[in-house]
Every structure is written in structure tokens, then in C-alpha cells.
Amino acid sequence: MMSCGSGARLGRSPRTRGRPTFLETLPTPPQPLPRFAVNIAPPDLSPWLTDHGGIPGIIHREGAQPGPHVVLTSLIHGNEYAGAVVLDRLLREDIRPARGRLSLVFANPQAFARFDPDNPVASRFVEEDMNRLWCRQVLSGPRRSVELDRARAILPVIESADILMDLHSMLWPGTPLILAGRMESGRRLAAMIGDPRLIVSDHGHQSGPRLIDFERFSAPGSPAAACLLEAGAHWNKDTVEATDHAVRALLRHSGLLPADEAAPLPPPRHMMVTDIVTAQTPRFRFVRPFRGGEVIRRRGTLLAQDGPDEIRTPYPDCMLVMPNLRPGLGQTAVRLATVVPESVPPTP
Ligand SMILES: [Zn+2]
């Protein structure tokens, strides 16, 4: 079983320890966040959040033929509603899978209900990050929070999923990608979806396991697979369309929707996270506003200063995965990824 709080650093350290100068020992005020433009309106989810006799905020659609149970989760982070826009769209289209079972999940409606375009980052969660608590010990333990209570409520659907895609978006600009977690099954699923093309395998966050890291998808021999879509910037129209493409590709390739005649996409690009750079001082500063998915050619390129420490690329062709341009103390500032040379085998 996966322990709570897994993480990994597999490569040469990107950090060079320095000595703090007198100035660096002085306290600094945190850097304010810029104002983020909100270019998509929050969807009206009221038809789906009422009690249908099942779990509120989860809608099931059954196919006539047997097939896999596909679960699409949105709003694990309450302010990332591009995925919820797409699920709402599918429901308004009255989507009916040809086979299997489709479950559409609005995971944290309480956080979503607090969305405020004047402070759009505030409604990520109510009490705690809902994507850091997917561990049996925590879910079965005595602790309670808005997010834990809701995770326990939706757990029966998660535990019966054969295929799960968790729909997210990014605060800072970056290339859309699919996080495949640490399992080969996640990589295969991401490769099967094929859109977006960038697949990033990783070992999660030290602060707790994500939904895709849950034992249902990560226990050895489990037939279920999960991946996480990071479809682009949170409140951009392009992010909604990228999510729509990925969701429909998943539904076609899993047989729930008819296959299309479109030309095959180019093979995916597979990267592996080797290092998690955490801000160890409140003075962490990138040397410039890097973009997620940017590849730094030269080994040893200065990325950031963290108090007295320098952060440099530990190898050539180093990809920056979702840099957080204003990391707070102890937060992940960036993850570094290297290309996986072998191609992902196609899924039959
Ligand atoms: Zn998210």
C-alpha cells in the first residue's frame, strides 16, 4: 500500500547550498499574486447538485452493452471549473454511452460555491486540499473536514472506477499535459487518450497522495487506471476546449462513444519527474517567469534563487513542470522532468 506523503527525487540535486548574507536573514514580505483574468463564467451546476437519490453531484449514465466504468472528476479543486464546464456540457447534450457506465463527478461543490472572480484563487478548497488526502489511513481515520467528508461520500464511485480522469487546470501559463502518476497503467491510459500529447510521470507530492495515487489505481495488480489532466490556465476558453478534446478522446478510446475517422495523432512525448524543488525560504525567486513545459537545453542553467541557494538545471533538456511563480515557504516551486527515451507501448 502506498504510504501517505510519498515523493521522490531521483536525479542530481538542482540545489547548491549557499551561505545567507546579512540581508538574506532579514524577513521579507511575501510577493503579491498578480491579478488573474477570469475569461470563462462559472457554470450553473444546480441541476446536477440536487439529490437524485444517489450521491448529490454525481451523475451516472449507463450504456446498453457491458463495458468499463469510466469516471470523470471535476472540481477536486473548487476554482478549477473548466472541467465542470465540460461535464455540464456533456450532461446538457444528454450523453448516452454505447456501453459501460459513465460517472460524472462534481467533487467539491462547497469550494466551487465560494468562487469569487475578484479573488479567484481563494476557492481552491474550503478547509484542505482535496487532492492530498487519497490514502486509506486518512479516509478511514477519525479526522474530519469539508473535503474529507466529501471524499468519503464519493469514495464508492472512485472504488468502482475502471478508468478515471481527474480534470484540472493551471494557475500559471503552461503547455497542457496529462499527469500519469507513477504507474505504467496511468502512462498507458494517458497514451491512449493521446491529447494533449505531453505525458508526465511523477511520484506525487510529499504533502499527501492525489486521487490518481489512490490504491484503487496504484496497488500492484490493480486493473484500474487513472490520470490527471492539466488542460491549461484556469479561466481560459482554450482550457475548456482542451478539456473537451481530452474527455471525448477518452470516451472514444474506451468504447463509450463511437470511434471517429480522424487521422491518428502524433505519438505522445513522455517525460519523467526527477526532482521536486520546494521553496525553503520566503525569498524564493525565479530568475524569469518560466512557462510550464519549457525545456532548458543547458545543464547548470540558473532557474531561481532561494535565499542563499541557487537552483540550476541538473541535466540537459530539462523540462519545467508547472512552475509556481510565487511559491510560499514549503510549497513546491517547480518540478523538473527528463525525457523518457522508450516510447509508451500502444494500448490494445
Ligand atoms: Zn488542480
Side-chain angles (χ1 to χ4, degrees), residues 115-272:
F115 183 77
D116 173 2
D118 290 328
N119 189 10
V121 296
S123 51
R124 182 176 169 87
F125 53 78
V126 179
E127 291 183 84
E128 63 177 315
D129 191 330
M130 197 177 179
N131 214 21
R132 300 290 184 272
L133 44 73
W134 292 94
C135 165
R136 184 69 62 186
Q137 284 161 272
V138 174
L139 291 167
S140 306
R143 198 166 66 74
R144 292 193 62 180
S145 69
V146 166
E147 280 74 21
L148 260 172
D149 289 354
R150 181 64 177 159
R152 288 171 184 137
I154 70 173
L155 191 58
V157 175
I158 304 302
E159 294 205 284
S160 62
D162 298 307
I163 293 173
L164 181 141
M165 182 155 67
D166 190 18
L167 307 175
H168 288 252
S169 51
M170 311 168 175
L171 181 60
W172 302 98
T175 307
L177 59 90
I178 303 179
L179 285 175
R182 65 197 172 94
M183 301 299 291
E184 175 64 22
S185 57
R187 283 196 291 281
R188 281 176 176 267
L189 174 61
M192 181 189 85
I193 297 165
D195 182 6
R197 285 182 57 226
L198 176 57
I199 300 172
V200 177
S201 292
D202 70 0
H203 287 72
H205 295 269
Q206 282 175 332
S207 46
R210 300 163 296 192
L211 176 54
I212 64 165
D213 303 318
F214 186 49
E215 63 187 38
R216 173 77 188 165
F217 313 108
S218 63
S222 170
C227 65
L228 186 160
L229 176 69
E230 292 284 4
H234 290 334
W235 306 294
N236 271 5
K237 293 192 169 91
D238 289 353
T239 306
V240 174
E241 297 321 309
T243 305
D244 191 286
H245 284 182
V247 163
R248 287 177 204 271
L250 170 63
L251 295 178
R252 282 195 307 272
H253 290 299
S254 54
L256 271 66
L257 289 182
D260 69 358
E261 303 298 313
L265 294 165
R269 186 162 55 137
H270 184 203
M271 307 293 292
M272 168 72 77

Side-chain angles (χ1 to χ4, degrees), residues 274-308:
T274 57
D275 296 85
I276 300 169
V277 177
T278 303
Q280 294 184 358
T281 79
R283 295 172 181 275
F284 192 103
R285 300 289 184 271
F286 284 101
V287 297
R288 66 176 171 83
F290 291 103
R291 240 186 99 80
E294 201 171 331
V295 174
I296 308 298
R297 299 280 164 224
R298 285 173 60 98
R299 178 183 151 188
T301 302
L302 183 65
L303 300 176
Q305 195 81 36
D306 188 9

Side-chain angles (χ1 to χ4, degrees), residues 7-14 182 201-203 272-276 314-315 336-338 340:
R9 197 189 69 68
L10 306 172
R12 172 196 296 262
S13 175
R182 65 197 172 94
S201 292
D202 70 0
H203 287 72
M272 168 72 77
V273 170
T274 57
D275 296 85
I276 300 169
Y315 43 77
L336 307 179
T338 187
V340 178

